[in-house]
Amino acid sequence: ERRKGEIRGFLWLSEQEPSFAKQYGNLQYDESFDLTPLRLNGKVYSTGLGTHAPSEIRFDLDGKYSTFESDVGVDDLQRGTPGSVIFRVVVDEKNAFSSHVLVGGSPHETVRIDLTGAKTLTLIVEDAGDGNHNDHADWADAKLTLKR
C-alpha cells in the first residue's frame, strides 16, 4: 500500500515520527502548544508542530527529500505576552536557517531549505535571551517534499 505522502509528493512533518525530541512540555501535532489551532498573523493552519522553547526536534531523512518548508512564528495566542523566540534549522549538523527574534503578533517568517542528500533535519526553537515565558512556537504547514 502506498503512503498518501508518496501519492501527493510531500509529507506533512506532523505525519513523521521524530528520531529525537526534547522540549519544555509536550510536542503538539497539528495544534499549538496551547492545544488550539496553529495561528500566525490571523491565519489558521491545519497542520504543523506546536512547541515551546527551548526545543529540539530531529528527523531522519535518509536522503529521500528535496526540500523542507514551513511558516514559523510565535502563536497568535501569545500576542502581548513576553513570548519571544528564535527559530533555527540545522541540516546534517550545519546551520541552514536562523530567524529574527519573533514575538506574538510579529510577521511570521517562511523557511524553505534544500535537503538534497540530507540525512538529518533538526528544528530548534530558542528563547530570545529573556527566558522562555510564553515562548509558544509554531512550525506551521511544515512539510517535506519527496525527491522525484
Side-chain angles (χ1 to χ4, degrees):
E1 179 183 334
R2 297 188 73 197
R3 293 171 47 154
K4 56 187 168 189
E6 292 168 350
I7 294 166
R8 65 177 183 243
F10 68 89
L11 294 173
W12 295 115
L13 212 53
S14 57
E15 296 174 327
Q16 300 295 98
E17 195 63 40
S19 58
F20 174 84
K22 178 180 163 191
Q23 72 167 37
Y24 178 90
N26 293 319
L27 176 61
Q28 301 302 328
Y29 296 88
D30 299 331
E31 59 188 4
S32 76
F33 185 78
D34 296 299
L35 309 180
T36 60
L38 298 158
R39 189 184 308 263
L40 298 174
N41 310 118
K43 180 177 178 184
V44 176
Y45 297 82
S46 59
T47 65
L49 301 173
T51 66
H52 191 302
S55 75
E56 180 177 339
I57 308 158
R58 186 174 315 119
F59 295 89
D60 292 332
L61 304 177
D62 302 321
K64 294 190 287 196
Y65 303 97
S66 60
T67 55
F68 166 70
E69 295 176 69
S70 182
D71 287 346
V72 298
V74 174
D75 193 83
D76 280 1
L77 274 186
Q78 301 310 312
R79 187 184 302 261
T81 72
S84 60
V85 302
I86 296 170
F87 289 83
R88 289 184 41 228
V89 178
V90 176
V91 177
D92 292 341
E93 300 182 30
K94 293 187 184 91
N95 197 50
F97 171 83
S98 290
S99 73
H100 295 92
V101 174
L102 299 175
V103 300
S106 65
H108 71 271
E109 292 189 26
T110 299
V111 182
R112 183 177 166 83
I113 295 173
D114 180 8
L115 295 178
T116 304
K119 304 221 177 317
T120 60
L121 172 72
T122 307
L123 307 181
I124 297 169
V125 181
E126 302 169 339
D127 77 54
D130 58 357
N132 71 343
H133 294 290
N134 304 95
D135 286 0
H136 301 193
D138 295 345
W139 297 91
D141 277 356
K143 69 180 178 182
L144 297 168
T145 303
L146 287 153
K147 236 176 21 184
R148 293 283 177 206

